[in-house]
């Protein structure tokens, strides 16, 4: 189990020492919140910033988690993965180290958004709501980073990974309930959006704002995360080069 | 306990045979696996380090089966791949320390200091690896590999891309490790290095061992002397008695072996001129592994039956 922390430390140190990546990670989600949250003309909500904040939070986790798979792609291309796989420590700790790092980095970015949303006048944030939101975001981050890291295990170069990322991230985001409520979606979209895991997380956080804990959405997210992580652990244990 | 033992070790990529029934038994020695690119050296190392599953056959490291007891095998060995994989944003000490932690070593700080000291990196240990030269980075990788004092060390092309002085230094370190009782399995295509430092070498060609012996014994197989001739025109047999054609290299070089080189030179010269071949230079030297290699591994032009598509498939899947 300690190995997970060691792999995490390595990624964290490397990230923190690349100043550009840290600055970019903090500015990019802010830009989304400001431009989308304040600029988009909306008719279904008087206080769009309240509505959009959960969407941007989950979108950031989505982007960060899918992007995070490239960490493993580079470890693989540069020869680190071979060295790690030849170690006696358990192989799934490589996976869990990545999940921990990617999710932590996502939560740091989520914090930037929460602070900014609060500064921009978003209401409805109490301490329990914020804490539970972090929990939901962490769960979502675990799901997506496990998925992306395992996909990375099977792709041999960064171009293929970027192609995979582009193919997955945009459709997942735009077919979710991030930008508009189900009531204003065309029926075909609302059906897809309802079953999109991205919406599980967004809906759960929105319910929190209204003072409701949406157990079915959280449960669906947790179940999916559990299944995906279990699958990924199996893959990591058996992987050969 | 035999450090490395394989029996019938075989790896297919699709229908391409990368390693073909490899039988090795490596003791406490520096064992060199030599061969041209794509001959199966790296595939062999990957199978021995449990990173790749053999199609057939088996391998044991210190008595543990690489397939059934992979975890135990990984405890016995260290593996330094071809790519120089050190984190440039971390310091040398942090790089080694990561491995010490992952190996779960007791007395971690001392072990890290010792490994860094052994590779002469103590003074620069706290600098970012970004500032290290290629030779230092390679030594840092060795320090990472040595931190848990493995019984068997696998080095895949350890001197690739290094300058002469750095190469010599790496080999000095490798010999020191052997003298401390470590088994070192090294792949290389630098014949001179293998010649100077390996206790035994195996020459691999298209996945098959074509020769395995000490460098001296292999050299003795070719005969006492080697005559190397640079010519314009093509060289064809049958050749005069007592002179054996080993093969051709680029730039019109033809290589022959014989028992008394200096006496055979005039004979060979006349023989070539009579056949309309212009001789540009002649030299006589003692056989090197390069010459053995030439004799044992046909070059592609010599009717290798080279399948470009298969070769690239193999490189990609290596």
């Amino acid at each position: 189990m300690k190995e997970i922390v060691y792999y995490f430390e390595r990624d964290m140190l490397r990230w923190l020492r690349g100043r550009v990546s840290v600055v970019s990670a903090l500015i990019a989600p802010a830009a989304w919140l400001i431009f989308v949250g304040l600029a988009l003309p909306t008719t279904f909500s008087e206080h769009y910033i309240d509505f959009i904040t959960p969407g941007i939070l989950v979108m950031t986790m989505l982007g960060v988690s899918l992007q995070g798979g490239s960490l493993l792609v580079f470890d693989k291309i540069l020869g680190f993965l071979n060295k790690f796989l030849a170690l006696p420590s358990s192989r799934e700790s490589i996976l869990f180290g990545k999940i921990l790092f990617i999710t932590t980095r996502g939560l740091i970015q989520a914090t930037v958004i929460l602070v900014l949303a609060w500064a921009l006048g978003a209401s409805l944030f109490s301490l329990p709501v914020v804490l539970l939101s972090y929990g939901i975001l962490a769960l979502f981050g675990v799901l997506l980073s496990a998925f992306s890291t395992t996909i990375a295990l099977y792709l041999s170069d960064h171009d293929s990974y970027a192609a995979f990322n582009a193919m997955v991230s945009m459709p997942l985001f735009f077919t979710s309930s991030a930008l508009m409520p189900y009531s204003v979606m065309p029926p075909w979209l609302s059906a897809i959006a309802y079953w999109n895991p991205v919406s599980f997380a967004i809906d759960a956080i929105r319910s929190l704002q209204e003072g409701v804990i949406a157990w079915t959405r959280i449960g669906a997210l947790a179940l999916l995360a559990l299944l995906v992580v279990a699958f990924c652990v199996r893959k990591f244990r058996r992987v050969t080069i | 306990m035999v450090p490395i033992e394989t029996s019938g070790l075989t790896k297919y990529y699709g229908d391409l045979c990368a390693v073909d029934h490899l039988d090795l038994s490596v003791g406490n020695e520096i064992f060199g696996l030599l061969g041209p690119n794509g001959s199966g050296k790296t595939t062999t190392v990957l199978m021995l380090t449990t990173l790749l599953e053999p199609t057939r056959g088996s391998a044991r490291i210190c008595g543990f089966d690489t397939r059934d007891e992979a975890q135990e095998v990984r405890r016995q060995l260290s593996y330094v791949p071809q790519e120089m994989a050190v984190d440039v944003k971390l310091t040398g000490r942090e790089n080694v320390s990561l491995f010490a932690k992952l190996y779960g070593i007791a007395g971690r700080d001392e072990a890290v200091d010792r490994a860094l000291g052994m590779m002469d990196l103590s003074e620069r240990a706290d600098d970012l690896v970004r500032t290290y030269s290629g030779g230092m980075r390679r030594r840092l990788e060795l320090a990472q590999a040595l931190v848990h004092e493995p019984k068997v060390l696998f080095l895949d092309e350890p001197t690739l891309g290094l300058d002469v002085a750095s190469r010599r230094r790496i080999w000095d370190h490798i010999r020191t490790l052997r003298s401390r009782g470590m088994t070192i399995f090294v792949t290389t295509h630098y014949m001179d290095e293998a010649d100077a430092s390996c206790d035994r070498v195996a020459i691999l060609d298209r996945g098959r061992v074509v020769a395995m012996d000490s460098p001296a014994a292999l050299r003795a197989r070719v005969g006492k002397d080697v005559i190397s001739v640079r010519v314009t025109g093509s060289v064809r047999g049958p050749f005069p008695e007592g002179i054996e054609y080993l093969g051709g290299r680029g730039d019109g070089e033809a290589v022959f072996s014989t028992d008394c080189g200096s006496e055979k030179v005039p004979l060979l010269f006349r023989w070539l001129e009579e056949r309309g071949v212009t001789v540009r230079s002649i030299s006589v030297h003692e056989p090197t592994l390069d010459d053995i290699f030439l004799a044992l591994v046909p070059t592609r032009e010599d009717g290798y039956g080279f399948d470009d598509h298969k070769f690239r498939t193999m490189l990609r899947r290596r």
Side-chain angles (χ1 to χ4, degrees):
Chain A
M1 284 299 109
K2 275 192 229 147
E3 290 90 357
I4 298 172
V5 178
Y6 302 145
Y7 284 121
F8 167 80
E9 274 174 3
R10 164 181 180 251
D11 278 325
M12 201 51 150
L13 270 178
R14 296 197 310 169
W15 182 56
L16 292 175
R17 285 180 190 169
R19 289 184 208 99
V20 179
S21 52
V22 175
V23 171
S24 139
L26 300 183
I27 287 179
W32 263 90
L33 186 70
I34 293 168
F35 295 129
V36 179
L38 298 182
L40 224 60
T42 54
T43 53
F44 54 81
S45 170
E46 287 179 9
H47 214 192
Y48 191 58
I49 188 90
D50 275 343
F51 178 82
I52 196 68
T53 300
I56 300 291
L57 282 172
V58 174
M59 184 205 77
T60 300
M61 286 305 283
L62 175 74
V64 166
S65 304
L66 287 177
Q67 182 55 39
S70 64
L71 286 169
L72 194 87
V73 173
F74 281 118
D75 277 354
K76 188 172 166 176
I77 297 171
L78 299 177
F80 290 102
L81 185 64
N82 272 11
K83 283 164 79 168
F84 293 151
L85 289 176
L87 291 173
S89 59
S90 74
R91 289 174 162 194
E92 60 264 32
S93 58
I94 302 172
L95 169 70
F96 285 121
K98 291 285 184 236
I99 292 177
L100 185 60
F101 171 67
I102 295 167
T103 307
T104 306
R105 192 169 62 173
L107 290 177
I108 293 172
Q109 300 197 16
T111 309
V112 176
I113 296 172
L114 280 171
V115 170
L116 209 68
W118 176 76
L120 288 172
S123 49
L124 303 165
F125 281 116
S126 66
L127 188 63
V129 169
V130 169
L131 289 182
L132 282 168
S133 300
Y134 271 111
I136 292 163
L137 288 173
L139 203 54
F140 183 72
V142 168
L143 166 67
L144 264 293
S145 54
F147 173 64
S148 66
T149 300
T150 306
I151 293 290
L153 201 54
Y154 294 92
L155 297 179
S156 51
D157 61 283
H158 193 252
D159 286 347
S160 335
Y161 189 78
F164 154 79
N165 190 354
M167 190 170 68
V168 172
S169 61
M170 280 297 148
L172 267 181
F173 179 65
F174 285 109
T175 61
S176 76
S177 57
L179 296 173
M180 56 188 119
Y182 294 103
S183 54
V184 302
M185 287 181 196
W188 63 269
L189 182 59
S190 70
I192 297 174
Y194 186 77
W195 290 105
N196 181 340
V198 180
S199 309
F200 296 176
I202 296 170
D203 297 350
I205 296 176
R206 279 198 191 128
S207 301
L208 285 179
Q209 291 177 325
E210 290 155 14
V212 180
I213 297 181
W215 286 114
T216 49
R217 300 308 258 172
I218 296 174
L221 191 62
L223 184 66
L224 193 61
L226 195 70
L227 290 175
V228 168
V229 169
F231 175 78
C232 297
V233 165
R234 270 170 66 92
K235 289 289 167 197
F236 261 80
R237 279 189 189 158
R238 291 180 181 186
V239 74
T240 53
I241 297 304
Chain B
M1 195 71 72
V2 186
I4 305 172
E5 204 169 21
T6 73
S7 91
L9 194 67
T10 302
K11 181 70 188 176
Y12 276 90
Y13 293 119
D15 57 357
L16 176 81
C17 186
V19 174
D20 192 2
H21 289 88
L22 198 63
D23 294 305
L24 294 177
S25 178
V26 179
N28 282 318
E29 58 185 328
I30 301 178
F31 187 88
L33 194 58
L34 314 182
N37 292 332
S39 58
K41 300 189 299 285
T42 299
T43 302
T44 304
V45 171
L46 289 177
M47 283 193 286
L48 294 177
T49 52
T50 76
L51 298 184
L52 200 60
E53 195 144 309
T55 312
R56 248 176 276 134
S58 67
R60 300 177 86 79
I61 306 292
C62 300
F64 298 105
D65 188 272
T66 55
R67 204 192 310 240
D68 303 331
E69 297 160 293
Q71 193 83 354
E72 204 47 52
V73 167
R74 291 181 205 134
R75 247 184 268 285
Q76 313 297 324
L77 62 83
S78 271
Y79 166 50
V80 181
Q82 262 178 49
E83 305 89 352
M84 258 190 239
V86 283
D87 282 310
V88 294
K89 285 179 186 166
L90 306 187
T91 65
R93 189 184 304 281
E94 284 166 341
N95 268 286
V96 179
S97 183
L98 171 70
F99 276 71
K101 290 174 183 170
L102 291 171
Y103 277 115
I105 295 166
R108 191 194 305 149
D109 292 343
E110 296 77 43
V112 171
D113 282 337
R114 203 178 328 121
L116 285 165
M118 213 189 291
M119 289 296 131
D120 304 329
L121 289 168
S122 300
E123 277 176 31
R124 298 284 309 275
D126 294 309
D127 294 351
L128 290 184
V129 173
R130 197 202 310 266
T131 64
Y132 282 24
S133 68
M136 290 173 71
R137 289 179 191 199
R138 192 48 109 186
R139 296 210 305 278
L140 183 62
E141 283 210 288
L142 284 176
Q144 286 182 319
L146 296 176
V147 75
H148 79 128
E149 296 175 356
K151 294 203 179 67
V152 185
L153 178 62
F154 288 92
L155 303 172
D156 199 356
E157 301 281 0
T159 54
L160 197 67
L162 299 183
D163 63 36
V164 181
S166 306
R167 281 185 198 177
R168 198 171 301 137
R169 199 156 174 191
I170 296 283
W171 279 108
D172 285 344
H173 285 303
I174 293 174
R175 280 192 298 266
T176 311
L177 293 173
R178 189 261 325 263
S179 67
R180 293 180 184 200
M182 200 178 288
T183 297
I184 294 136
F185 189 96
V186 54
T187 77
T188 181
H189 53 238
Y190 295 118
M191 298 300 150
D192 51 333
E193 296 183 356
D195 208 341
S197 297
C198 290
D199 299 307
R200 274 196 313 149
V201 298
I203 295 178
L204 211 56
D205 179 36
R206 285 172 291 166
R208 219 167 300 157
V209 172
V210 290
M212 176 155 55
D213 218 325
S214 69
L218 282 180
R219 274 188 265 112
R221 278 198 208 177
V222 178
K224 255 176 68 191
D225 291 316
V226 166
I227 309 177
S228 157
V229 193
R230 288 178 61 202
V231 297
T232 313
S234 69
V235 178
R236 256 187 222 102
F239 297 98
E241 198 167 322
I243 298 178
E244 198 190 333
Y245 179 64
L246 292 183
R249 273 194 275 255
D251 198 24
E253 189 182 4
V255 183
F256 301 89
S257 78
T258 177
D259 274 337
C260 41
S262 44
E263 283 171 30
K264 288 291 197 311
V265 164
L267 175 69
L268 182 64
F269 177 74
R270 267 199 310 281
W271 186 86
L272 286 166
E273 292 278 291
E274 277 165 17
R275 277 155 188 77
V277 177
T278 313
V279 176
R280 288 185 284 153
S281 73
I282 295 191
S283 70
V284 181
H285 59 89
E286 285 183 10
T288 63
L289 271 191
D290 256 323
D291 303 318
I292 318 297
F293 198 72
L294 190 66
L296 291 172
V297 180
T299 48
R300 284 171 210 166
E301 296 83 43
D302 289 0
Y304 192 106
F306 182 73
D307 184 331
D308 185 53
H309 173 73
K310 277 190 176 178
F311 182 69
R312 273 187 281 133
T313 311
M314 181 154 138
L315 285 185
R316 216 177 308 129
R317 305 205 40 183
R318 175 182 64 73

